[in-house]
Amino acid sequence: MLPPQTVYSLKAGIELGFFEETWASGKGKIAGCPFCNARKFPSELRGKRMQLNGPRAGQIDGEVDDSYLWNQDTDLIAEVSNLYAPHWLPDISIRHNFIVDEIIVWFCNNSLRGENFYWDRKSLGTLVGIIWDKMLPVTANEISSVAIAHGMPSHFQNEFENLFSFGIDTLRMNCKKSARKSWRQINAVQDAFAEAHRFNR
């Protein structure tokens, strides 16, 4: 597995940001993941561009000051004409979907043994902790669907969802913190991409 680059630091003590393609991001690319398809920064991007990570997630060329330059070491950039949201993306913002994508890519890569996928319970615990710590309003089914899109075999889905729900419920009961439901918006990422296409005409 490629060493993670310092892109998005999380309190769990791991640093994510797989800008080079890994096994899991390769699976995500095939499944139509907009983040995995944007991981390799092209030498030239044609047309309008959108940032997919960080505080500027969702911003398009023309919406930022002329003095701002894209940073290919930290910014995940995609061509607007290539942006489409697959059905399995959660109904949360682009920025929060990026966090979900990063932790799922990390989890699936950590669960790989040779060419086979095995449960890595420690990594699953870290995944649950990050989703809860970031207060992301996602369901167990949504997270498992993202994991399947990034290489987790579907026969692990029920066990994944049960353990994820158990972990979130346990943290909620003991730490008195809940997901920010206000972050959940129907078709949030889909609408953002559709608006970008309208802007790109």
Side-chain angles (χ1 to χ4, degrees), residues 72-97:
Q72 67 180 31
D73 294 323
T74 60
D75 297 340
L76 195 61
I77 309 298
E79 291 183 33
V80 169
S81 60
N82 293 332
L83 283 177
Y84 296 95
H87 65 87
W88 44 262
L89 275 184
D91 289 330
I92 52 179
S93 70
I94 295 171
R95 181 182 181 183
H96 295 124
N97 261 301

PDB file of all heavy atoms in Angstrom, residues 72-97:
ATOM      1  N   GLN A  72      -1.573  21.466  -6.782  1.00  0.00           N
ATOM      2  CA  GLN A  72      -1.713  20.073  -7.188  1.00  0.00           C
ATOM      3  C   GLN A  72      -1.218  19.107  -6.112  1.00  0.00           C
ATOM      4  O   GLN A  72      -1.432  17.902  -6.213  1.00  0.00           O
ATOM      5  CB  GLN A  72      -0.991  19.806  -8.508  1.00  0.00           C
ATOM      6  CG  GLN A  72       0.513  19.915  -8.452  1.00  0.00           C
ATOM      7  CD  GLN A  72       1.144  19.636  -9.808  1.00  0.00           C
ATOM      8  OE1 GLN A  72       0.540  19.916 -10.850  1.00  0.00           O
ATOM      9  NE2 GLN A  72       2.316  19.078  -9.802  1.00  0.00           N
ATOM     10  N   ASP A  73      -0.571  19.619  -5.068  1.00  0.00           N
ATOM     11  CA  ASP A  73      -0.115  18.749  -3.981  1.00  0.00           C
ATOM     12  C   ASP A  73      -1.196  18.522  -2.935  1.00  0.00           C
ATOM     13  O   ASP A  73      -1.158  17.540  -2.197  1.00  0.00           O
ATOM     14  CB  ASP A  73       1.121  19.344  -3.306  1.00  0.00           C
ATOM     15  CG  ASP A  73       2.322  19.378  -4.238  1.00  0.00           C
ATOM     16  OD1 ASP A  73       2.477  18.423  -5.027  1.00  0.00           O
ATOM     17  OD2 ASP A  73       3.091  20.352  -4.179  1.00  0.00           O
ATOM     18  N   THR A  74      -2.151  19.436  -2.841  1.00  0.00           N
ATOM     19  CA  THR A  74      -3.176  19.314  -1.796  1.00  0.00           C
ATOM     20  C   THR A  74      -4.608  19.388  -2.311  1.00  0.00           C
ATOM     21  O   THR A  74      -5.530  19.000  -1.598  1.00  0.00           O
ATOM     22  CB  THR A  74      -2.994  20.429  -0.743  1.00  0.00           C
ATOM     23  OG1 THR A  74      -3.114  21.701  -1.398  1.00  0.00           O
ATOM     24  CG2 THR A  74      -1.653  20.320  -0.054  1.00  0.00           C
ATOM     25  N   ASP A  75      -4.812  19.900  -3.522  1.00  0.00           N
ATOM     26  CA  ASP A  75      -6.167  20.097  -4.037  1.00  0.00           C
ATOM     27  C   ASP A  75      -6.548  18.988  -5.005  1.00  0.00           C
ATOM     28  O   ASP A  75      -5.790  18.667  -5.914  1.00  0.00           O
ATOM     29  CB  ASP A  75      -6.276  21.443  -4.767  1.00  0.00           C
ATOM     30  CG  ASP A  75      -6.020  22.621  -3.845  1.00  0.00           C
ATOM     31  OD1 ASP A  75      -6.138  22.441  -2.626  1.00  0.00           O
ATOM     32  OD2 ASP A  75      -5.705  23.715  -4.347  1.00  0.00           O
ATOM     33  N   LEU A  76      -7.711  18.412  -4.775  1.00  0.00           N
ATOM     34  CA  LEU A  76      -8.238  17.391  -5.680  1.00  0.00           C
ATOM     35  C   LEU A  76      -9.124  18.105  -6.695  1.00  0.00           C
ATOM     36  O   LEU A  76     -10.171  18.653  -6.350  1.00  0.00           O
ATOM     37  CB  LEU A  76      -9.041  16.359  -4.891  1.00  0.00           C
ATOM     38  CG  LEU A  76      -9.362  15.046  -5.610  1.00  0.00           C
ATOM     39  CD1 LEU A  76      -8.083  14.307  -5.984  1.00  0.00           C
ATOM     40  CD2 LEU A  76     -10.226  14.163  -4.725  1.00  0.00           C
ATOM     41  N   ILE A  77      -8.691  18.123  -7.955  1.00  0.00           N
ATOM     42  CA  ILE A  77      -9.351  18.902  -8.992  1.00  0.00           C
ATOM     43  C   ILE A  77      -9.910  17.975 -10.068  1.00  0.00           C
ATOM     44  O   ILE A  77      -9.282  16.990 -10.437  1.00  0.00           O
ATOM     45  CB  ILE A  77      -8.356  19.879  -9.658  1.00  0.00           C
ATOM     46  CG1 ILE A  77      -7.604  20.694  -8.606  1.00  0.00           C
ATOM     47  CG2 ILE A  77      -9.066  20.799 -10.644  1.00  0.00           C
ATOM     48  CD1 ILE A  77      -8.469  21.559  -7.746  1.00  0.00           C
ATOM     49  N   ALA A  78     -11.092  18.295 -10.557  1.00  0.00           N
ATOM     50  CA  ALA A  78     -11.700  17.499 -11.631  1.00  0.00           C
ATOM     51  C   ALA A  78     -12.238  18.425 -12.712  1.00  0.00           C
ATOM     52  O   ALA A  78     -12.599  19.577 -12.435  1.00  0.00           O
ATOM     53  CB  ALA A  78     -12.833  16.642 -11.086  1.00  0.00           C
ATOM     54  N   GLU A  79     -12.282  17.911 -13.925  1.00  0.00           N
ATOM     55  CA  GLU A  79     -12.925  18.650 -15.004  1.00  0.00           C
ATOM     56  C   GLU A  79     -14.434  18.563 -14.803  1.00  0.00           C
ATOM     57  O   GLU A  79     -14.980  17.488 -14.593  1.00  0.00           O
ATOM     58  CB  GLU A  79     -12.554  18.052 -16.358  1.00  0.00           C
ATOM     59  CG  GLU A  79     -11.107  18.263 -16.755  1.00  0.00           C
ATOM     60  CD  GLU A  79     -10.815  17.701 -18.136  1.00  0.00           C
ATOM     61  OE1 GLU A  79     -11.716  17.731 -18.996  1.00  0.00           O
ATOM     62  OE2 GLU A  79      -9.679  17.240 -18.342  1.00  0.00           O
ATOM     63  N   VAL A  80     -15.101  19.695 -14.876  1.00  0.00           N
ATOM     64  CA  VAL A  80     -16.553  19.732 -14.669  1.00  0.00           C
ATOM     65  C   VAL A  80     -17.270  18.812 -15.650  1.00  0.00           C
ATOM     66  O   VAL A  80     -18.240  18.133 -15.290  1.00  0.00           O
ATOM     67  CB  VAL A  80     -17.074  21.180 -14.785  1.00  0.00           C
ATOM     68  CG1 VAL A  80     -18.598  21.212 -14.833  1.00  0.00           C
ATOM     69  CG2 VAL A  80     -16.565  22.025 -13.616  1.00  0.00           C
ATOM     70  N   SER A  81     -16.790  18.761 -16.884  1.00  0.00           N
ATOM     71  CA  SER A  81     -17.459  17.943 -17.899  1.00  0.00           C
ATOM     72  C   SER A  81     -17.431  16.456 -17.563  1.00  0.00           C
ATOM     73  O   SER A  81     -18.218  15.678 -18.086  1.00  0.00           O
ATOM     74  CB  SER A  81     -16.812  18.169 -19.273  1.00  0.00           C
ATOM     75  OG  SER A  81     -15.431  17.825 -19.240  1.00  0.00           O
ATOM     76  N   ASN A  82     -16.526  16.056 -16.655  1.00  0.00           N
ATOM     77  CA  ASN A  82     -16.409  14.641 -16.276  1.00  0.00           C
ATOM     78  C   ASN A  82     -17.069  14.320 -14.940  1.00  0.00           C
ATOM     79  O   ASN A  82     -16.959  13.189 -14.457  1.00  0.00           O
ATOM     80  CB  ASN A  82     -14.929  14.235 -16.199  1.00  0.00           C
ATOM     81  CG  ASN A  82     -14.263  14.258 -17.557  1.00  0.00           C
ATOM     82  OD1 ASN A  82     -14.916  14.059 -18.575  1.00  0.00           O
ATOM     83  ND2 ASN A  82     -12.967  14.516 -17.580  1.00  0.00           N
ATOM     84  N   LEU A  83     -17.732  15.285 -14.324  1.00  0.00           N
ATOM     85  CA  LEU A  83     -18.305  15.091 -12.991  1.00  0.00           C
ATOM     86  C   LEU A  83     -19.720  14.531 -13.050  1.00  0.00           C
ATOM     87  O   LEU A  83     -20.631  15.191 -13.555  1.00  0.00           O
ATOM     88  CB  LEU A  83     -18.311  16.408 -12.218  1.00  0.00           C
ATOM     89  CG  LEU A  83     -16.982  16.863 -11.625  1.00  0.00           C
ATOM     90  CD1 LEU A  83     -17.147  18.224 -10.968  1.00  0.00           C
ATOM     91  CD2 LEU A  83     -16.458  15.850 -10.622  1.00  0.00           C
ATOM     92  N   TYR A  84     -19.879  13.332 -12.518  1.00  0.00           N
ATOM     93  CA  TYR A  84     -21.200  12.718 -12.386  1.00  0.00           C
ATOM     94  C   TYR A  84     -21.250  11.991 -11.049  1.00  0.00           C
ATOM     95  O   TYR A  84     -20.255  11.415 -10.618  1.00  0.00           O
ATOM     96  CB  TYR A  84     -21.479  11.763 -13.542  1.00  0.00           C
ATOM     97  CG  TYR A  84     -21.542  12.475 -14.878  1.00  0.00           C
ATOM     98  CD1 TYR A  84     -20.417  12.546 -15.698  1.00  0.00           C
ATOM     99  CD2 TYR A  84     -22.712  13.113 -15.287  1.00  0.00           C
ATOM    100  CE1 TYR A  84     -20.452  13.233 -16.897  1.00  0.00           C
ATOM    101  CE2 TYR A  84     -22.758  13.808 -16.492  1.00  0.00           C
ATOM    102  CZ  TYR A  84     -21.632  13.860 -17.296  1.00  0.00           C
ATOM    103  OH  TYR A  84     -21.669  14.549 -18.474  1.00  0.00           O
ATOM    104  N   ALA A  85     -22.387  12.038 -10.390  1.00  0.00           N
ATOM    105  CA  ALA A  85     -22.527  11.418  -9.076  1.00  0.00           C
ATOM    106  C   ALA A  85     -23.186  10.051  -9.202  1.00  0.00           C
ATOM    107  O   ALA A  85     -24.349   9.964  -9.592  1.00  0.00           O
ATOM    108  CB  ALA A  85     -23.357  12.311  -8.157  1.00  0.00           C
ATOM    109  N   PRO A  86     -22.467   8.968  -8.876  1.00  0.00           N
ATOM    110  CA  PRO A  86     -23.091   7.638  -8.910  1.00  0.00           C
ATOM    111  C   PRO A  86     -24.176   7.517  -7.842  1.00  0.00           C
ATOM    112  O   PRO A  86     -24.184   8.269  -6.863  1.00  0.00           O
ATOM    113  CB  PRO A  86     -21.916   6.697  -8.625  1.00  0.00           C
ATOM    114  CG  PRO A  86     -20.896   7.530  -7.949  1.00  0.00           C
ATOM    115  CD  PRO A  86     -21.055   8.927  -8.471  1.00  0.00           C
ATOM    116  N   HIS A  87     -25.058   6.574  -8.020  1.00  0.00           N
ATOM    117  CA  HIS A  87     -26.221   6.435  -7.134  1.00  0.00           C
ATOM    118  C   HIS A  87     -25.838   6.100  -5.703  1.00  0.00           C
ATOM    119  O   HIS A  87     -26.611   6.349  -4.779  1.00  0.00           O
ATOM    120  CB  HIS A  87     -27.158   5.345  -7.673  1.00  0.00           C
ATOM    121  CG  HIS A  87     -26.560   3.974  -7.657  1.00  0.00           C
ATOM    122  ND1 HIS A  87     -26.630   3.138  -6.573  1.00  0.00           N
ATOM    123  CD2 HIS A  87     -25.843   3.302  -8.599  1.00  0.00           C
ATOM    124  CE1 HIS A  87     -26.002   2.006  -6.837  1.00  0.00           C
ATOM    125  NE2 HIS A  87     -25.512   2.083  -8.061  1.00  0.00           N
ATOM    126  N   TRP A  88     -24.645   5.566  -5.480  1.00  0.00           N
ATOM    127  CA  TRP A  88     -24.267   5.134  -4.134  1.00  0.00           C
ATOM    128  C   TRP A  88     -23.632   6.246  -3.289  1.00  0.00           C
ATOM    129  O   TRP A  88     -23.334   6.033  -2.110  1.00  0.00           O
ATOM    130  CB  TRP A  88     -23.328   3.928  -4.199  1.00  0.00           C
ATOM    131  CG  TRP A  88     -22.230   4.015  -5.220  1.00  0.00           C
ATOM    132  CD1 TRP A  88     -22.232   3.466  -6.469  1.00  0.00           C
ATOM    133  CD2 TRP A  88     -20.981   4.704  -5.086  1.00  0.00           C
ATOM    134  NE1 TRP A  88     -21.052   3.776  -7.126  1.00  0.00           N
ATOM    135  CE2 TRP A  88     -20.269   4.520  -6.296  1.00  0.00           C
ATOM    136  CE3 TRP A  88     -20.390   5.442  -4.061  1.00  0.00           C
ATOM    137  CZ2 TRP A  88     -19.001   5.064  -6.503  1.00  0.00           C
ATOM    138  CZ3 TRP A  88     -19.133   5.984  -4.270  1.00  0.00           C
ATOM    139  CH2 TRP A  88     -18.451   5.789  -5.475  1.00  0.00           C
ATOM    140  N   LEU A  89     -23.419   7.437  -3.838  1.00  0.00           N
ATOM    141  CA  LEU A  89     -22.872   8.533  -3.030  1.00  0.00           C
ATOM    142  C   LEU A  89     -23.916   9.004  -2.019  1.00  0.00           C
ATOM    143  O   LEU A  89     -25.067   9.213  -2.377  1.00  0.00           O
ATOM    144  CB  LEU A  89     -22.467   9.712  -3.918  1.00  0.00           C
ATOM    145  CG  LEU A  89     -21.084   9.696  -4.561  1.00  0.00           C
ATOM    146  CD1 LEU A  89     -20.853  11.000  -5.322  1.00  0.00           C
ATOM    147  CD2 LEU A  89     -19.976   9.484  -3.546  1.00  0.00           C
ATOM    148  N   PRO A  90     -23.530   9.210  -0.758  1.00  0.00           N
ATOM    149  CA  PRO A  90     -24.479   9.714   0.244  1.00  0.00           C
ATOM    150  C   PRO A  90     -24.988  11.102  -0.094  1.00  0.00           C
ATOM    151  O   PRO A  90     -24.328  11.865  -0.810  1.00  0.00           O
ATOM    152  CB  PRO A  90     -23.642   9.747   1.535  1.00  0.00           C
ATOM    153  CG  PRO A  90     -22.540   8.761   1.310  1.00  0.00           C
ATOM    154  CD  PRO A  90     -22.225   8.855  -0.161  1.00  0.00           C
ATOM    155  N   ASP A  91     -26.162  11.444   0.430  1.00  0.00           N
ATOM    156  CA  ASP A  91     -26.772  12.752   0.182  1.00  0.00           C
ATOM    157  C   ASP A  91     -26.198  13.805   1.125  1.00  0.00           C
ATOM    158  O   ASP A  91     -26.901  14.373   1.966  1.00  0.00           O
ATOM    159  CB  ASP A  91     -28.291  12.678   0.355  1.00  0.00           C
ATOM    160  CG  ASP A  91     -28.949  11.909  -0.769  1.00  0.00           C
ATOM    161  OD1 ASP A  91     -28.419  11.926  -1.889  1.00  0.00           O
ATOM    162  OD2 ASP A  91     -30.002  11.303  -0.521  1.00  0.00           O
ATOM    163  N   ILE A  92     -24.902  14.029   1.011  1.00  0.00           N
ATOM    164  CA  ILE A  92     -24.223  15.060   1.791  1.00  0.00           C
ATOM    165  C   ILE A  92     -23.365  15.871   0.823  1.00  0.00           C
ATOM    166  O   ILE A  92     -23.284  15.558  -0.359  1.00  0.00           O
ATOM    167  CB  ILE A  92     -23.371  14.467   2.935  1.00  0.00           C
ATOM    168  CG1 ILE A  92     -22.418  13.382   2.395  1.00  0.00           C
ATOM    169  CG2 ILE A  92     -24.266  13.887   4.025  1.00  0.00           C
ATOM    170  CD1 ILE A  92     -21.517  12.759   3.439  1.00  0.00           C
ATOM    171  N   SER A  93     -22.712  16.903   1.317  1.00  0.00           N
ATOM    172  CA  SER A  93     -21.978  17.819   0.448  1.00  0.00           C
ATOM    173  C   SER A  93     -20.769  17.145  -0.206  1.00  0.00           C
ATOM    174  O   SER A  93     -20.328  16.061   0.194  1.00  0.00           O
ATOM    175  CB  SER A  93     -21.498  19.019   1.263  1.00  0.00           C
ATOM    176  OG  SER A  93     -20.466  18.610   2.156  1.00  0.00           O
ATOM    177  N   ILE A  94     -20.214  17.838  -1.204  1.00  0.00           N
ATOM    178  CA  ILE A  94     -19.005  17.342  -1.867  1.00  0.00           C
ATOM    179  C   ILE A  94     -17.882  17.203  -0.847  1.00  0.00           C
ATOM    180  O   ILE A  94     -17.181  16.189  -0.805  1.00  0.00           O
ATOM    181  CB  ILE A  94     -18.575  18.312  -2.991  1.00  0.00           C
ATOM    182  CG1 ILE A  94     -19.642  18.353  -4.092  1.00  0.00           C
ATOM    183  CG2 ILE A  94     -17.228  17.902  -3.574  1.00  0.00           C
ATOM    184  CD1 ILE A  94     -19.407  19.437  -5.128  1.00  0.00           C
ATOM    185  N   ARG A  95     -17.711  18.214  -0.017  1.00  0.00           N
ATOM    186  CA  ARG A  95     -16.629  18.197   0.973  1.00  0.00           C
ATOM    187  C   ARG A  95     -16.746  17.006   1.918  1.00  0.00           C
ATOM    188  O   ARG A  95     -15.767  16.329   2.206  1.00  0.00           O
ATOM    189  CB  ARG A  95     -16.640  19.511   1.767  1.00  0.00           C
ATOM    190  CG  ARG A  95     -15.537  19.597   2.807  1.00  0.00           C
ATOM    191  CD  ARG A  95     -15.627  20.886   3.594  1.00  0.00           C
ATOM    192  NE  ARG A  95     -14.562  20.988   4.568  1.00  0.00           N
ATOM    193  CZ  ARG A  95     -14.433  21.985   5.429  1.00  0.00           C
ATOM    194  NH1 ARG A  95     -15.304  22.968   5.418  1.00  0.00           N
ATOM    195  NH2 ARG A  95     -13.440  22.013   6.300  1.00  0.00           N
ATOM    196  N   HIS A  96     -17.961  16.738   2.402  1.00  0.00           N
ATOM    197  CA  HIS A  96     -18.140  15.637   3.342  1.00  0.00           C
ATOM    198  C   HIS A  96     -18.073  14.288   2.634  1.00  0.00           C
ATOM    199  O   HIS A  96     -17.615  13.299   3.210  1.00  0.00           O
ATOM    200  CB  HIS A  96     -19.449  15.818   4.108  1.00  0.00           C
ATOM    201  CG  HIS A  96     -19.437  17.029   4.987  1.00  0.00           C
ATOM    202  ND1 HIS A  96     -20.385  18.017   4.901  1.00  0.00           N
ATOM    203  CD2 HIS A  96     -18.564  17.426   5.940  1.00  0.00           C
ATOM    204  CE1 HIS A  96     -20.104  18.971   5.784  1.00  0.00           C
ATOM    205  NE2 HIS A  96     -19.011  18.633   6.417  1.00  0.00           N
ATOM    206  N   ASN A  97     -18.503  14.226   1.383  1.00  0.00           N
ATOM    207  CA  ASN A  97     -18.346  12.994   0.613  1.00  0.00           C
ATOM    208  C   ASN A  97     -16.869  12.687   0.379  1.00  0.00           C
ATOM    209  O   ASN A  97     -16.471  11.523   0.332  1.00  0.00           O
ATOM    210  CB  ASN A  97     -19.064  13.100  -0.738  1.00  0.00           C
ATOM    211  CG  ASN A  97     -20.421  12.436  -0.713  1.00  0.00           C
ATOM    212  OD1 ASN A  97     -20.544  11.241  -0.445  1.00  0.00           O
ATOM    213  ND2 ASN A  97     -21.462  13.200  -0.982  1.00  0.00           N
TER     214      ASN A  97
END
